[in-house]
Amino acid sequence: MTIVQTSRNAAGIWYDEALFQTDKRPWIGQPRPSEWAAEDFSFVVLGDRCGMATAGVFENALEIVKDLKPDFVLSVGDLIEGYWREAQDAIAEWEYIDAKIEAANLPFFHVVGNHDYGNQMMRDVWRDRKGFEYYAFRTGDILFLVLNTEDPPNEFSDDFIDIIKKATANVQNEPERMSEHMQAFYDDIVSRMSPEQLKEMGRIDLAFSDEQMAFAERVLKENRDAKWTFITMHKPGWKSEDERFERLIRMLDGRPHTVFAGHLHAMEYSVAGNGERIQLGRTGGHAHGNGPESDNLMLWVNVRNGQPSYRVIHLDGVREIGGYKPQSETEHDNHHRTEEA
């Protein structure tokens, strides 16, 4: 493990140097030293862009974030549709979305999602472009630990990938019929699987390698003085029965912390002991429900004196100024009379 900078009041960046000998990094951009060391700062957490992305939603979110100018941006993964068999298809998706992220001109920290990292080939593409999958950084007294819940990836059968690709193509070609296509996708899955297999598919399965767990343990021990710890992963570990997630929580040893995750495309907040659990909603991926928790959204986080606070920004409620046209005199008079009545 390497520490790029070790000053307690500045930023440390940790990664598993013994395992990952590369000059590539899973983040874009670097904040100024004064921003790293600031005790008070703000950042944004973006939800899943995929699967079955609605074109333009994530890209619009990046434009809004660019205007709001947080100190940096965190992702919870699933930035590409993925599940490709050929490397050039995965590379093309990454080229597109990485260019959009770079254009936002803000530090952006990647997290592995199952769509990003669904097989060995896609793992190789990730490492060729981004170097490694788990890491940590510190700004002032606040620690960020970024983990990979797909270590190693859980590979789907060719038949199941064909179903995913068919549904994805249908949604992309006819977004206005998304509900219909998603129902057909679900029906196709149900027709091919037993009830036991369907139940198995509904489970939240995590995968943390021995090396990743050792890395997390060491980073947490070396930063025991942190006022707050943010852990970011793709799948919500607290909804799994994974012993390694429970071990991770025990490592926190009662310290104040927040766990960010995504995967299920619905916003949720809960508290467990000294820790918060925040499941991000979607930022472009298809809706898993009809309530406000299933809206396209992003999370704004303020850290003040070592304590976080949160604001959920619903993207469907953010409007362009050009949409507010002047009313005619007749429209204005009719509206005024209605109000008086």
Side-chain angles (χ1 to χ4, degrees):
M1 183 171 70
T2 188
I3 301 176
V4 175
Q5 191 174 2
T6 58
S7 170
R8 176 170 295 184
N9 294 318
I13 305 177
W14 291 260
Y15 71 96
D16 199 338
E17 187 181 31
L19 186 61
F20 303 113
Q21 299 180 7
T22 175
D23 61 354
K24 304 293 179 62
R25 299 290 182 262
W27 54 81
I28 294 174
Q30 292 282 8
R32 295 188 300 272
S34 61
E35 291 174 335
W36 280 94
E39 186 170 344
D40 293 346
F41 59 93
S42 301
F43 63 96
V44 163
V45 190
L46 297 178
D48 294 30
R49 174 177 176 259
C50 301
M52 317 298 179
T54 300
V57 172
F58 190 87
E59 293 85 338
N60 183 55
L62 288 175
E63 289 297 319
I64 294 170
V65 169
K66 182 178 179 179
D67 289 341
L68 294 176
K69 290 184 169 54
D71 291 300
F72 56 89
V73 181
L74 281 176
S75 165
V76 294
D78 276 2
L79 292 184
I80 65 173
E81 295 291 356
Y83 291 117
W84 295 109
R85 297 186 180 95
E86 301 297 332
Q88 63 264 26
D89 293 319
I91 292 169
E93 279 204 283
W94 280 120
E95 289 286 348
Y96 170 79
I97 197 60
D98 281 345
K100 296 294 184 181
I101 293 169
E102 288 175 1
N105 199 30
L106 287 166
F108 188 103
F109 293 90
H110 283 284
V111 175
V112 168
N114 54 293
H115 282 261
D116 309 322
Y117 202 85
N119 55 44
Q120 293 297 314
M121 178 276 293
M122 294 196 64
R123 184 200 70 171
D124 293 342
V125 169
W126 175 286
R127 290 186 177 179
D128 184 61
R129 296 180 65 84
K130 305 180 187 305
F132 42 88
E133 306 89 43
Y134 55 87
Y135 56 99
F137 62 94
R138 180 163 172 163
T139 176
D141 289 327
I142 310 300
L143 176 67
F144 291 81
L145 176 60
V146 176
L147 298 178
N148 175 14
T149 59
E150 317 303 309
D151 184 15
N154 179 26
E155 301 200 24
F156 289 148
S157 68
D158 286 346
D159 286 345
F160 193 72
I161 290 175
D162 287 340
I163 297 173
I164 294 173
K165 288 302 178 187
K166 176 184 175 182
T168 302
N170 287 340
V171 168
Q172 290 175 344
N173 293 331
E174 298 181 308
E176 71 280 2
R177 297 176 60 194
M178 177 179 283
S179 297
E180 180 182 339
H181 291 313
M182 291 307 300
Q183 184 61 51
F185 174 54
Y186 175 77
D187 292 343
D188 202 357
I189 293 172
V190 170
S191 70
R192 295 167 184 254
M193 293 187 176
S194 67
E196 292 75 18
Q197 289 174 316
L198 288 171
K199 184 177 180 180
E200 188 72 15
M201 275 199 66
R203 290 178 50 189
I204 302 295
D205 288 328
L206 312 183
F208 294 118
S209 66
D210 292 340
E211 293 83 1
Q212 185 174 185
M213 292 301 295
F215 172 84
E217 184 171 16
R218 183 171 175 183
V219 166
L220 290 172
K221 283 183 177 178
E222 291 180 357
N223 291 274
R224 189 173 293 276
D225 64 314
K227 287 183 178 179
W228 203 278
T229 299
F230 292 100
I231 299 175
T232 308
M233 60 181 64
H234 180 63
K235 292 177 181 175
W238 61 94
K239 294 186 174 182
S240 75
E241 298 177 356
D242 191 90
E243 187 279 330
R244 293 197 168 196
F245 179 80
E246 295 303 322
R247 179 180 159 197
L248 175 68
I249 296 303
R250 291 195 297 271
M251 288 179 194
L252 291 165
D253 195 23
R255 296 181 298 186
H257 66 274
T258 303
V259 183
F260 295 123
H263 189 59
L264 297 180
H265 298 199
M267 190 77 196
E268 293 182 2
Y269 174 84
S270 60
V271 175
N274 290 326
E276 300 174 310
R277 310 287 183 260
I278 299 180
Q279 178 181 287
L280 265 292
R282 63 191 179 114
T283 313
H286 77 88
H288 287 189
N290 298 314
E293 72 282 350
S294 297
D295 289 349
N296 284 301
L297 51 80
M298 60 187 181
L299 183 68
W300 182 276
V301 186
N302 287 322
V303 178
R304 301 290 182 262
N305 297 317
Q307 298 287 321
S309 63
Y310 309 98
R311 296 291 184 270
V312 180
I313 300 175
H314 287 251
L315 298 175
D316 296 334
V318 180
R319 301 285 187 261
E320 292 292 329
I321 191 67
Y324 297 85
K325 304 296 184 184
Q327 291 182 330
S328 67
E329 289 187 13
T330 300
E331 289 172 330
H332 182 272
D333 290 344
N334 289 340
H335 180 70
H336 184 64
R337 291 191 191 100
T338 301
E339 283 188 334
E340 287 184 336

